[in-house]
């Protein structure tokens, strides 16, 4: 990367305010750190207060304890951020709840309520709370919602996957709702991403994602959190000024390799010349 590119990256945010909900760890943490490095003034919100405050201290950023299932708390967040930093120009909703990979008859129906409250209602509350303000200010803005490849692929996750499908659907609806006010709304769908929680599961539950989940991707590896963060930062930036209403997949080719399984799997790389 050239020195000019480095300077551009460091000033990409131009001092504008970006809010990362779910910014205490994983993809949200990686995104908050990258946006701060790109010149955004970042505010973090998360239910995990200890981890969130630690990340915020590193970034000299304000932290807000937030339960995304609490509508009143989410609706209060834009005003709290504005009082601390100014109005938000970008919102990233990276919060999420997961389910156990067990047969449907073994699922606790209470899990349905919990996951829908966090993934679907929480994302909807956050989009409306920030999106309406962005639209009324007529100063543009960008919202990025974290969906998942499970939104478009058949998996055993009969609650989590449909909840992420709902996020993709609401993303497209909100893109139409606020587009004429200059507000862009997009989704990012990661595949299996090597956040600390997933790395721990790969060690402790080696069969959870199959014998070798990397073998199920075209690139032969899994996604790094920084790679998802790069995609989110791009969609937040002016470089994506004509992009709205999309669901951008970041999965190392997990989706495209699925149809190769019955033909023996993705082909290995050809041998080097000579």
């Amino acid at each position: 990367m050239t020195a000019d590119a480095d300077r551009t990256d460091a000033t990409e945010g131009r001092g504008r305010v970006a809010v990362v909900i779910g910014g205490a760890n994983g993809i949200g943490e990686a995104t908050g750190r990258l946006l701060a490095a790109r010149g955004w003034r970042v505010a973090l919100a998360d239910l995990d207060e200890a981890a969130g405050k630690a990340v915020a201290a590193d970034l000299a950023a304000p932290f807000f304890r937030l339960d995304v299932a609490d509508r009143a708390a989410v609706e209060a967040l834009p005003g709290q951020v504005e009082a601390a930093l100014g109005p938000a120009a970008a919102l990233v909703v990276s919060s999420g709840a997961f389910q156990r990979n067990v047969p449907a008859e073994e699922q606790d129906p209470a899990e349905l309520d919990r996951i829908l409250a966090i993934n679907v209602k929480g994302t909807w509350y956050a989009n409306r709370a920030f999106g309406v303000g962005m639209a009324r200010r007529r100063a543009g803005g960008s919202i990025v919602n974290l969906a998942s490849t499970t939104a478009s692929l058949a998996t055993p996750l009969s609650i989590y996957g449909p909840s992420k499908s709902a996020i993709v659907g609401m993303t497209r609806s909100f893109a139409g709702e606020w587009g004429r006010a200059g507000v862009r709304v997009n989704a990012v769908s990661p595949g299996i991403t090597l956040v600390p929680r997933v790395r721990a599961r790969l060690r402790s539950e080696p069969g959870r994602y199959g014998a070798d989940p990397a073998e199920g991707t075209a690139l032969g590896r899994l996604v790094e959190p920084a790679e998802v963060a790069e995609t989110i930062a791009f969609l937040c930036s002016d470089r994506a000024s004509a992009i709205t209403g999309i669901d951008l997949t970041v999965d190392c080719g997990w989706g495209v390799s699925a149809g190769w399984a019955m033909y023996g799997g993705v082909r290995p790389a050809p041998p080097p010349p000579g």
Side-chain angles (χ1 to χ4, degrees):
M1 183 177 290
T2 67
D4 285 345
D6 286 337
R7 283 196 293 272
T8 300
D9 284 349
T11 60
E12 183 174 271
R14 294 189 284 114
R16 291 172 295 181
V17 176
V19 180
V20 182
I21 295 177
N25 46 58
I27 291 171
E29 177 186 351
T31 300
R33 292 184 183 279
L34 181 59
L35 290 174
R38 295 275 172 88
W40 293 83
R41 291 191 295 156
V42 174
L44 303 178
D46 203 294
L47 189 60
D48 187 341
E49 190 168 7
K53 284 184 173 179
V55 176
D58 280 351
L59 303 180
F63 172 79
F64 303 92
R65 185 182 183 278
L66 181 72
D67 178 356
V68 294
D70 183 340
R71 189 183 78 186
V74 176
E75 290 176 346
L77 184 61
Q80 294 169 335
V81 170
E82 185 164 355
L85 295 178
L91 169 70
V92 178
V93 185
S94 181
S95 50
F98 302 89
Q99 73 168 96
R100 294 185 304 138
N101 180 10
V102 297
E105 64 270 21
E106 297 179 23
Q107 286 290 350
D108 181 351
E111 283 291 273
L112 176 65
D113 295 332
R114 182 181 71 88
I115 291 170
L116 292 182
I118 295 170
N119 293 2
V120 180
K121 289 185 175 181
T123 302
W124 191 89
Y125 294 155
N127 276 238
R128 187 178 72 159
F130 283 89
V132 168
M134 290 177 182
R136 287 176 174 167
R137 284 192 296 273
R138 297 292 197 276
S142 175
I143 296 173
V144 182
N145 297 315
L146 263 289
S148 165
T149 49
T150 62
S152 56
L153 296 174
T155 73
L157 306 179
S158 60
I159 304 173
Y160 179 78
S163 78
K164 293 298 186 174
S165 297
I167 289 174
V168 173
M170 77 172 71
T171 292
R172 292 172 177 152
S173 294
F174 284 138
E177 182 88 23
W178 300 315
R180 294 298 176 90
V183 180
R184 298 180 296 105
V185 188
N186 294 292
V188 171
S189 281
I192 299 174
T193 304
L194 293 171
V195 298
R197 169 182 49 80
V198 170
R199 289 186 186 276
R201 285 176 178 169
L202 288 170
R203 290 193 299 269
S204 63
E205 305 173 58
R208 181 184 179 96
Y209 300 103
D212 182 1
E215 281 298 308
T217 71
L219 297 182
R221 64 179 181 85
L222 300 181
V223 182
E224 294 289 344
E227 294 175 310
V228 186
E230 283 281 1
T231 306
I232 295 169
F234 165 70
L235 290 173
C236 287
S237 77
D238 294 337
R239 291 176 291 151
S241 58
I243 301 175
T244 194
I246 70 164
D247 175 28
L248 186 51
T249 300
V250 184
D251 68 348
C252 288
W254 179 41
V256 301
S257 67
W260 287 68
M262 68 178 69
Y263 299 99
V266 175
R267 293 190 181 100

